[in-house]
Amino acid sequence: MNDADSEWREITKKQRQISTYKSSAEFFSIQLFVDKMVQNLKTGGMKRVSDQLAALDIPPGSSVLDIGAGPGTLAVPLAGAGCRVTVVEPSKPMVRAMEEYRKFLSVDAEIGVIAGVLEDLDEKRLGRHEYVISSFALSVPDLKDALKKMHQAASKEVHIFWFMNDTAWDVTYTRLWESLHGEKYWAKPKADVIWNCLFQMGIYADIAVYPMKDERGYPDLENAVSEYADRMEARDQRQKEIIRKYLDSVLVRGANGSLVFPDEGLYAHISWKVDLPGTNTNLSPPQIL
């Protein structure tokens, strides 16, 4: 078995080398993308959220740490269900969006905010919580360090949601990036790398797979081209025409009449109990005979 942490670090490094954004936190501080995410939440476009909440099955009154909470996709409904929620979120626009979403859902409970990225936070700053979750927010340079911090911050369970295969936007990037920028695109490492890294740390996690179900709709082709031109750092007309031609060939009309990708892919729910007998809480690699 390959060293999963090294595999993660290598791919993540290559990803960051081809982007003008220094980190995912910088990318998700762009107001355009923040507004789009909040709009998707408000209109029910993120249909996977109900599946995620059911899979978490966190009892009311529990303390929860949501790492990379974004606009409160899970944090706000969990707070509304009676959980005591704290989030790790480095993006100020996302924190403002979370407050907007909290008011939209009429959630009175306050949500604590730890400003920063996981790799810069120590055990004392993260604190101790019954449940630690991370939903599509594990874009960290050092996977093993991140998993160790999550494990140590939890007293009951850890839950990670991550991509099982290439999403529609990863497929789009992979097919177009070299034509746009003259270099290969590196897609995110997938959930198997996370599970393997946990195994190599002595943590034997459960894994379940779900359809993404998100409906990222666009009112027309030009709207879709505009968003992907921004996402893919396409500046000139030649680049935009490459994007337009591709999107015109793959987008289809959804149930509500908007243009959507026919397949948003699969995601994994990786979870483990921190106090489970046999779990290696020292996080040393297992001995394989």
Side-chain angles (χ1 to χ4, degrees):
M1 183 185 293
N2 294 334
D3 180 68
D5 184 51
S6 296
E7 181 181 352
W8 182 279
R9 277 190 273 112
E10 183 179 346
I11 295 175
T12 301
K13 182 180 179 181
K14 289 176 178 177
Q15 275 189 311
R16 294 189 177 187
Q17 286 174 339
I18 66 174
S19 176
T20 58
Y21 302 108
K22 295 178 182 178
S23 66
S24 60
E26 181 180 333
F27 179 83
F28 285 111
S29 291
I30 298 172
Q31 196 64 51
L32 174 69
F33 302 141
V34 174
D35 292 343
K36 181 72 173 178
M37 288 182 71
V38 175
Q39 185 63 20
N40 281 340
L41 281 173
K42 287 181 175 180
T43 58
M46 292 189 183
K47 296 182 178 180
R48 61 174 158 82
V49 173
S50 58
D51 289 342
Q52 288 182 270
L53 292 169
L56 288 170
D57 194 25
I58 297 176
S62 301
S63 61
V64 179
L65 180 67
D66 185 354
I67 296 173
T73 308
L74 298 180
V76 171
L78 284 171
C83 294
R84 294 171 285 117
V85 181
T86 302
V87 303
V88 172
E89 180 51 60
S91 167
K92 291 181 180 178
M94 281 295 187
V95 173
R96 291 193 294 268
M98 183 165 55
E99 181 64 14
E100 177 187 339
Y101 188 46
R102 188 174 70 87
K103 292 178 179 177
F104 176 78
L105 291 186
S106 300
V107 174
D108 294 329
E110 293 292 332
I111 297 174
V113 177
I114 300 172
V117 292
L118 181 59
E119 53 263 38
D120 293 341
L121 300 171
D122 59 21
E123 184 178 346
K124 183 178 179 182
R125 188 78 176 90
L126 290 171
R128 187 85 162 163
H129 309 263
E130 291 173 289
Y131 297 85
V132 174
I133 64 176
S134 176
S135 178
F136 306 104
L138 207 57
S139 295
V140 294
D142 188 327
L143 178 62
K144 184 176 179 180
D145 180 66
L147 295 174
K148 184 176 180 180
K149 286 179 178 179
M150 295 175 70
H151 185 89
Q152 292 174 335
S155 63
K156 289 188 177 180
E157 297 176 7
V158 181
H159 296 263
I160 296 171
F161 296 97
W162 193 249
F163 309 99
M164 191 69 190
N165 61 0
D166 284 345
T167 59
W169 65 85
D170 260 337
V171 172
T172 302
Y173 278 47
T174 300
R175 292 185 179 177
L176 300 185
W177 191 266
E178 191 164 358
S179 297
L180 296 174
H181 300 292
E183 56 187 344
K184 179 180 177 179
Y185 175 75
W186 292 88
K188 294 179 180 65
K190 299 304 184 287
D192 62 317
V193 181
I194 298 175
W195 193 94
N196 284 336
C197 188
L198 286 166
F199 178 78
Q200 290 166 359
M201 293 165 64
I203 297 173
Y204 313 118
D206 294 323
I207 184 167
V209 179
Y210 298 87
M212 187 65 78
K213 287 188 179 179
D214 286 2
E215 194 169 289
R216 303 172 193 275
Y218 304 93
D220 52 50
L221 180 61
E222 291 309 309
N223 185 277
V225 171
S226 177
E227 178 173 324
Y228 269 85
D230 286 328
R231 280 180 172 269
M232 302 182 74
E233 303 162 48
R235 308 298 180 218
D236 61 44
Q237 196 57 40
R238 179 194 69 85
Q239 291 173 317
K240 292 178 182 178
E241 192 56 39
I242 290 172
I243 295 172
R244 178 180 290 103
K245 184 176 180 180
Y246 175 76
L247 293 180
D248 190 33
S249 71
V250 297
L251 293 176
V252 298
R253 287 289 172 189
N256 61 0
S258 61
L259 289 172
V260 299
F261 287 97
D263 181 13
E264 286 286 359
L266 303 170
Y267 70 92
H269 173 210
I270 300 171
S271 62
W272 68 95
K273 295 183 185 297
V274 172
D275 59 352
L276 184 68
T279 298
N280 187 344
T281 55
N282 292 319
L283 306 182
S284 58
Q287 184 178 8
I288 301 176
L289 301 177

